């Protein structure tokens, strides 16, 4: 079977190509990808090429398909897995395989024929062996794509920990009823974190979300309202730190001077990291969520507080299969709606330019439908694009009737009416 896919050959060398997939072996699965959301990790991989820890050294001759936030349909199942999977089954994949022989191995980085930015893929045996091929029972494929980034958020909340004096054990997870701050928190992943903080099982009593972008803050405020948070027992405060003379003092004042039990930093910016450190309370945990592209990235931490106030820092990069199952379950139950993450949609032919320029494209998640041809388009620009395209007008109508969010009806309409790749 032929597939079209975006493959990485080296640093800043992405190519959209058509090529033949080999016949699957008895321990492999053939699948069609429907949607993939582009992660900043793909940009970093493109930037670094084989210098990236997850990427093989021989990609110039054996390129890899990029994209790891994907959802699709199983087409053919090798004999080994026919008792667990069947054609027609929707799926999502947890890319963090955690193989003993290669802890960095992951779809879209390590294997030749699996990645989200493709029309068709071959799922290798390792994915199934690790229990990382997950059935997706939802309707919208885009939710299946967003289950991976949501799992990263779930994993981050679970990775935070707290301690008790003279007891040498870590109590994992955010502090129930504690003070939480999400810094630089109204980008796509920050929005997911706000959603999970409000609707997850463990909730803070105070949630402070900061940013310096007035427009993005306004959007976050309209999507995750103070009133909705209050219904869940949370005092939610949005703070534009660009309008505050002393952001640290302002944030500490909101806690009555106590400080924060859990701080999540969603931007690899030195002053933001240091700001997060300064607002930690006793036994406060800072989670550095945003991975930098610069291997030498550093920030100052207060080690007096490390010693006397037991402040500590963790970093997370992805979630595990349990986290992904939790994400899929909460979406299916309607407890969280990560559609707020999506600000752009496009077809497979928009992937190369989008990935190469991802940091320059404002907004949240860029959702790709891999079997269509479509320029990357901001959801907010659909009506403007509709001057020359009636499909865009209809999509604008659908989205605007859903509080400006991408949704199942919009996805179905796009897949039925868009030009095939």
């Amino acid at each position: 079977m032929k597939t079209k896919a975006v493959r990485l050959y080296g640093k800043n060398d992405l190519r959209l190509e058509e090529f033949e997939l080999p016949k699957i072996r008895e321990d492999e699965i053939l699948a069609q990808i429907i949607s993939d959301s582009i992660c900043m990790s793909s940009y970093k991989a493109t930037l670094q090429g084989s210098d990236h820890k997850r990427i093989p050294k021989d990609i110039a001759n054996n390129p890899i398909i990029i994209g790891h936030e994907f959802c699709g349909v199983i087409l053919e199942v090798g004999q080994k897995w026919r008792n667990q999977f069947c054609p027609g089954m929707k799926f999502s994949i947890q890319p963090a395989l955690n193989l003993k022989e290669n802890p960095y191995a992951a779809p879209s980085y390590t294997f030749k024929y699996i990645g989200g930015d493709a029309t068709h893929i071959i799922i290798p045996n390792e994915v199934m062996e690790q229990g990382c091929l997950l059935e997706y029972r939802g309707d919208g494929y885009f939710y299946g794509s967003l289950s991976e980034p949501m799992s990263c958020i779930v994993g981050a909340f679970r990775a935070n920990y707290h301690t008790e004096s003279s007891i040498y054990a870590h109590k994992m997870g955010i502090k129930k009823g504690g003070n939480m701050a999400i810094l630089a928190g109204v980008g796509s992943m920050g929005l997911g974190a706000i959603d999970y903080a409000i609707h997850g099982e463990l909730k803070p009593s105070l949630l402070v979300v900061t940013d310096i972008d007035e427009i993005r803050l306004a959007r976050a405020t309209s999507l995750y309202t103070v009133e909705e948070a209050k219904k869940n027992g949370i005092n939610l405060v949005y703070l534009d730190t660009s309008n505050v003379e002393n952001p640290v003092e302002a944030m500490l004042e909101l806690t009555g001077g106590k400080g924060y039990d859990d701080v999540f930093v969603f931007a690899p910016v030195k002053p933001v990291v240091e700001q997060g450190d300064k607002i930690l309370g006793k036994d406060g945990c800072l989670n550095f969520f945003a991975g930098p592209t610069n291997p030498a990235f550093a920030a100052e931490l207060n080690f007096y507080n490390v010693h006397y106030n037991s402040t500590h820092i963790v970093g997370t990069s992805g979630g595990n299969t349990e986290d992904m199952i939790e994400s899929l379950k909460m979406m299916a139950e309607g407890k969280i709606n990560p559609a707020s993450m999506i600000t752009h949609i496009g077809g497979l032919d928009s992937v190369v330019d989008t990935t190469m320029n991802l940091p320059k494209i404002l907004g949240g998640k860029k959702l790709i439908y891999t079997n269509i041809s479509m320029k990357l388009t901001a959801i907010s620009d659909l009506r403007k694009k509709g001057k020359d395209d009636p499909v865009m007008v209809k999509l604008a109508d659908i989205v605007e009737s859903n509080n400006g969010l991408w949704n199942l009806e919009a996805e179905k309409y796009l897949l039925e009416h868009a030009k095939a790749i």
Side-chain angles (χ1 to χ4, degrees), residues 21-310:
L21 289 175
K23 184 175 176 58
I24 64 166
R25 299 188 301 224
E26 62 88 25
D27 61 354
E28 295 177 329
I29 290 176
L30 178 69
Q32 180 181 19
I33 301 294
I34 304 297
S35 65
D36 179 66
S37 60
I38 298 180
C39 178
M40 187 61 75
S41 297
S42 292
Y43 166 75
K44 294 170 189 171
T46 302
L47 200 66
Q48 296 174 348
S50 291
D51 289 343
H52 194 287
K53 286 185 177 182
R54 292 187 185 275
I55 295 177
K57 299 299 181 187
D58 65 344
I59 56 172
N61 297 314
N62 291 294
I64 55 168
I65 303 171
I66 66 166
H68 60 272
E69 299 178 357
F70 54 91
C71 184
V73 182
I74 291 174
L75 299 181
E76 183 183 346
V77 181
Q79 182 63 42
K80 179 178 178 179
W81 298 106
R82 287 178 186 171
N83 63 330
Q84 292 185 42
F85 305 100
C86 62
M89 183 182 288
K90 292 180 183 177
F91 72 92
S92 187
I93 283 181
Q94 168 52 259
L97 302 182
N98 295 314
L99 301 178
K100 286 183 180 179
E101 60 273 22
N102 180 5
Y104 296 113
S108 87
Y109 294 100
T110 315
F111 305 97
K112 191 172 181 180
Y113 296 119
I114 181 172
D117 291 312
T119 57
H120 299 84
I121 61 168
I122 294 175
I123 305 173
N125 181 61
E126 289 89 340
V127 173
M128 284 73 80
E129 287 283 3
Q130 295 302 109
C132 291
L133 178 59
L134 306 176
E135 183 178 5
Y136 171 58
R137 297 177 182 272
D139 293 319
Y141 288 98
F142 69 94
Y143 280 127
S145 284
L146 294 177
S147 63
E148 196 284 330
M150 274 306 306
S151 77
C152 299
I153 292 163
V154 174
F157 276 55
R158 288 175 168 175
N160 267 33
Y161 69 91
H162 298 281
T163 63
E164 291 182 45
S165 180
S166 301
I167 297 176
Y168 302 112
H170 291 171
K171 187 174 182 181
M172 303 307 296
I174 65 167
K175 186 171 182 179
K176 183 179 180 180
N179 297 328
M180 177 187 290
I182 300 176
L183 308 187
V186 292
S188 59
M189 297 301 281
L191 291 175
I194 298 167
D195 194 357
Y196 190 67
I198 294 173
H199 301 110
E201 187 177 346
L202 279 182
K203 298 178 177 66
S205 59
L206 171 67
L207 175 60
V208 177
V209 180
T210 74
D211 209 279
I212 58 172
D213 189 311
E214 185 180 348
I215 294 173
R216 295 203 306 180
L217 274 164
R219 182 171 184 262
T221 304
S222 69
L223 293 172
Y224 302 108
T225 65
V226 171
E227 292 75 21
E228 170 66 12
K230 192 173 182 180
K231 289 178 188 174
N232 287 275
I234 299 171
N235 176 23
L236 172 60
V237 178
Y238 290 99
L239 183 65
D240 185 344
T241 51
S242 67
N243 292 331
V244 179
E245 186 176 345
N246 190 324
V248 169
E249 282 186 9
M251 283 187 278
L252 288 174
E253 189 177 334
L254 291 168
T255 69
K258 180 184 175 183
Y260 291 81
D261 302 291
D262 297 283
V263 175
F264 292 86
V265 176
F266 275 79
V269 178
K270 182 175 183 284
V272 179
V273 176
E274 293 174 351
Q275 196 177 82
D277 176 59
K278 290 173 183 176
I279 63 172
L280 288 172
K282 185 170 177 58
D283 189 43
C285 185
L286 187 153
N287 188 307
F288 182 54
F289 186 90
T293 54
N294 178 8
F297 178 82
E300 290 185 2
L301 300 177
N302 186 321
F303 281 88
Y304 182 92
N305 288 336
V306 170
H307 186 82
Y308 288 105
N309 282 339
S310 303

Side-chain angles (χ1 to χ4, degrees), residues 275-353:
Q275 196 177 82
D277 176 59
K278 290 173 183 176
I279 63 172
L280 288 172
K282 185 170 177 58
D283 189 43
C285 185
L286 187 153
N287 188 307
F288 182 54
F289 186 90
T293 54
N294 178 8
F297 178 82
E300 290 185 2
L301 300 177
N302 186 321
F303 281 88
Y304 182 92
N305 288 336
V306 170
H307 186 82
Y308 288 105
N309 282 339
S310 303
T311 59
H312 44 276
I313 184 168
V314 299
T316 50
S317 178
N320 62 21
T321 304
E322 240 180 69
D323 302 326
M324 199 156 175
I325 291 170
E326 165 85 353
S327 302
L328 289 166
K329 181 173 180 287
M330 290 187 72
M331 286 189 286
E333 294 172 351
K335 291 181 178 178
I336 56 173
N337 182 13
S340 61
M341 293 182 175
I342 301 167
T343 58
H344 295 69
I345 54 172
L348 188 62
D349 49 355
S350 71
V351 169
V352 172
D353 286 343

